[in-house]
Amino acid sequence: MASVMAMLQDLLLPMFEDDYYPDSLVAEIKQHILCFAQKLKEDLSDAEIYHFAQQTTSAMNKMKPKFSDLDSSLDDSATDYIAEAMMMVLQAAGYLEFDIEELVANREW
């Protein structure tokens, strides 16, 4: 349990450490991922998990203008960090067989 808590604490650490990404917006993305993680506590079908992942990604899509306003963006590196974070929470919840690209397939960044 302690290792899961440490993992959740360190989500998106590379983005927090990179001055290109505003910490306040990275924290908001982290909150979306933590909400996604909360939904994984139930016994879910693959379709339900992908649905929740799409909802999470849609919420992040709406943040794109906020990044632009602060001379930043959700670039390819951010996409990788976010997708990896989503996979980490899935795996921590015991869901091991998911396609990382499909998790964020509806991204607009």
Side-chain angles (χ1 to χ4, degrees):
M1 183 64 151
S3 64
V4 172
M5 294 303 289
M7 181 268 303
L8 292 176
Q9 185 66 29
D10 291 341
L11 280 179
L12 305 176
L13 192 57
M15 288 181 75
F16 279 112
E17 292 176 342
D18 189 332
D19 290 339
Y20 179 68
Y21 306 109
D23 285 351
S24 61
L25 297 181
V26 177
E28 192 174 333
I29 287 174
K30 183 177 178 177
Q31 283 307 118
H32 288 300
I33 294 171
L34 292 174
C35 288
F36 173 64
Q38 285 296 110
K39 293 175 182 175
L40 300 176
K41 292 188 177 187
E42 303 169 25
D43 187 27
L44 302 170
S45 69
D46 290 2
E48 289 171 314
I49 290 171
Y50 282 121
H51 172 75
F52 289 136
Q54 290 172 357
Q55 283 181 330
T56 302
T57 305
S58 292
M60 288 184 254
N61 286 341
K62 294 176 184 170
M63 295 179 64
K64 191 175 172 182
K66 292 180 183 181
F67 276 86
S68 293
D69 289 346
L70 297 175
D71 296 323
S72 185
S73 68
L74 290 170
D75 58 8
D76 290 342
S77 294
T79 298
D80 291 343
Y81 296 137
I82 292 166
E84 288 171 12
M86 291 178 72
M87 280 298 293
M88 286 175 24
V89 298
L90 267 174
Q91 291 170 347
Y95 298 101
L96 305 176
E97 301 297 323
F98 283 83
D99 183 292
I100 194 167
E101 288 298 318
E102 194 171 338
L103 282 178
V104 294
N106 64 321
R107 72 184 179 277
E108 296 173 1
W109 23 272

